[in-house]
Amino acid sequence: MAEDRPFHWEYRPEPVVKEIFRVEGGRPLSGTVSISGAKNAALKVLAAATLTGERCRFTNVPEIEDVRVMAETLAHLGVVVDHPEPGVYEVAAGDIDWLFVPLEAAARMRASFMLLGPLLTRLGRVIISNPGGDRIGRRPVDLHVEAMRALGAEIEYRYGYYYAKAPGRLRGAEVSFPQVSVMGTENAMLAATLADGHTVIRPAAREPEVDDLIVFLQAMGADVQRTDPDTIEIDGKRRLRGAEHRVLPDRIETGTFVIATAVTGGRVRLEGAPCDHLGGFLDAVARAGVPVACGKDTVEIDASNVGPGAFRPIDVETAPYPGLATDLQPPTCVLLTQAAGTSRVHETIFEDRLEWLAELRRMGAIVTIADDHHASIDGPTRLRGAEVEIGDLRAGASLILAALAAQGTSTIRGAHHVHRGYENIDGKFAELGARIERRAEEVPPSRP
Ligand code: UD1
């Protein structure tokens, strides 16, 4: 019956609600705020729950749009997804009847591709959209596909979809990546948990969210270990069982609040914050002169005695964990507008992650973009409120940070990008004394 369904019939995401943030800047943040569960871990454990027909339960799941999209995508496959209370999801994948992940899901969220490994290894086939449609070249998924092929899958690419089959069980293998990939590592790991035999993944991504996924897989009965910092080994099992898991806290949200406090000259305590996971970011902010104190699961930032524009210029380079996270590069750039001198930024991971600096310029930042990977920022500048447009998640949060630091009022369009990955960001900033409002964007009436 499932085979009779046309491709685009099942999954109809609701239209995105267009919203703006209005921010009145220039007020130091002050108080305490709790850090939410990590987006990049929550999405993976939800996908991993399809490795078993038994019920899995997740707590500390952030209430964000990407989680909602993942839950909706799972539900359209026939997975039972319950959301009994905020932060809690229960997933039972006993009756998957539709092995098709459509373009509508993939276009909204790249992490939908995390369903490739688990569905293929447990159910033997899946048709899954190329995330980002046909824009091959930017954020491709070739590493995921090659990893599945190494495990014995047959995969063809036609008209924007990957048609993947496992003739019998996948088989354990050496999966060697030509470069480190977070989701590539995770997809290979999920596929290998039910494969026949031993798998070695090298180099495996070292991000804390990968280890959080390992903890959940072990609770499901999987035999998976990180045997070296860059090596993960798995012995495939025939079945996995249902399990419970608490998602680890979000290091990217943590870093975002560190910078927000610094650039507003504020004093904030972050609770449930994973100081140990901040890696190269902590080093960068320390070099720039941001006073940060780490506790067991708290981070305190006190920039109230640092004069405006008194941070030190630094050179930064993004890198896989434990280096400076590319997701924290945009917030770090906001800090560098408040450093006295020239800072240089080298974005090594993605080629479109510096484009947003053009919007930051509209708020008065002095930015020179040398090429797709290099920029310099001259400071200190007195940022001023402006009308700006958010192009993606991390850049969006960073424009809010700039607006909080700026004199005057900013209107920030494209708020939905931020809701994809930050839980209640406006509410959390408001709790810290920021003047931030969220409103529906007025759309000009269409012509008759
Ligand atoms: C994940 C994170 C994202 C973070 C990124 C890097 C999730 C949901 N997203 O994304 O927030 O910014 O890690 O830390 O966890 N690449 C290929 N072919 C592939 C896969 C990746 O060429 O098949 C390239 C990418 O274009 C990029 C590099 O490898 O240049 C690293 O990307 P990767 O680690 O795979 O990022 P994601 O897992 O997509």
Side-chain angles (χ1 to χ4, degrees), residues 238-272:
R238 285 210 163 260
R239 290 168 62 85
L240 297 180
R241 54 178 181 264
E244 287 206 18
H245 184 71
R246 181 177 168 82
V247 174
L248 90 171
D250 198 312
R251 64 197 164 99
I252 308 300
E253 186 194 25
T254 304
T256 304
F257 277 91
V258 168
I259 302 286
T261 311
V263 295
T264 59
R267 186 172 176 189
V268 168
R269 178 182 160 89
L270 306 176
E271 285 188 340

Side-chain angles (χ1 to χ4, degrees), residues 88-103:
V88 178
Y89 275 82
E90 290 177 4
V91 176
D95 295 312
I96 294 182
D97 62 356
W98 184 230
L99 287 165
F100 173 67
V101 180
L103 174 63

Side-chain angles (χ1 to χ4, degrees), residues 153-379:
E154 291 169 7
I155 304 187
E156 276 182 54
Y157 183 65
R158 274 182 274 141
Y159 310 118
Y161 284 90
Y162 289 95
Y163 292 71
K165 274 196 308 206
R169 269 174 91 190
L170 291 178
R171 15 166 235 280
E174 288 262 339
V175 177
S176 313
F177 286 110
Q179 68 185 89
V180 185
S181 163
V182 174
M183 281 202 277
T185 300
E186 293 168 331
N187 239 335
M189 186 163 78
L190 296 187
T193 56
L194 290 175
D196 184 13
H198 187 71
T199 297
V200 180
I201 302 173
R202 196 183 291 124
R206 295 165 63 175
E207 271 64 8
E209 294 77 20
V210 179
D211 288 282
D212 199 51
L213 182 57
I214 292 177
V215 170
F216 173 57
L217 291 171
Q218 288 170 340
M220 294 177 89
D223 186 348
V224 43
Q225 321 279 344
R226 189 182 285 280
T227 49
D228 260 322
D230 73 342
T231 308
I232 293 173
E233 297 192 44
I234 303 117
D235 275 304
K237 296 271 176 153
R238 285 210 163 260
R239 290 168 62 85
L240 297 180
R241 54 178 181 264
E244 287 206 18
H245 184 71
R246 181 177 168 82
V247 174
L248 90 171
D250 198 312
R251 64 197 164 99
I252 308 300
E253 186 194 25
T254 304
T256 304
F257 277 91
V258 168
I259 302 286
T261 311
V263 295
T264 59
R267 186 172 176 189
V268 168
R269 178 182 160 89
L270 306 176
E271 285 188 340
C275 219
D276 294 351
H277 295 164
L278 293 177
F281 172 75
L282 215 49
D283 170 61
V285 293
R287 282 191 290 131
V290 178
V292 175
C294 279
K296 193 169 149 284
D297 61 355
T298 56
V299 176
E300 289 184 353
I301 312 100
D302 184 358
S304 55
N305 293 319
V306 185
F311 296 108
R312 290 189 288 272
I314 52 169
D315 292 347
V316 291
E317 184 171 293
T318 60
Y321 190 81
L324 170 65
T326 173
D327 290 350
L328 285 172
Q329 172 265 109
T332 305
C333 287
V334 178
L335 174 69
L336 299 181
T337 67
Q338 303 308 304
T342 304
S343 299
R344 277 178 291 265
V345 181
H346 182 187
E347 169 57 59
T348 67
I349 312 280
F350 294 115
E351 57 285 281
D352 52 3
R353 277 261 165 111
L354 294 174
E355 286 169 8
W356 81 283
L357 289 169
E359 290 301 293
L360 190 59
R361 242 189 227 137
R362 296 160 79 96
M363 302 177 85
I366 303 170
V367 175
T368 310
I369 303 177
D371 58 40
D372 285 350
H373 292 280
H374 298 88
S376 61
I377 298 174
D378 284 295

Side-chain angles (χ1 to χ4, degrees), residues 25 30 33 39-40 50 81 88 100 197 207 286 334 336 417 431 436:
S30 135
V33 77
K39 166 177 99 68
N40 288 351
T50 61
V81 182
V88 178
F100 173 67
E207 271 64 8
V334 178
L336 299 181
H417 289 290
E431 264 175 55
I436 176 166

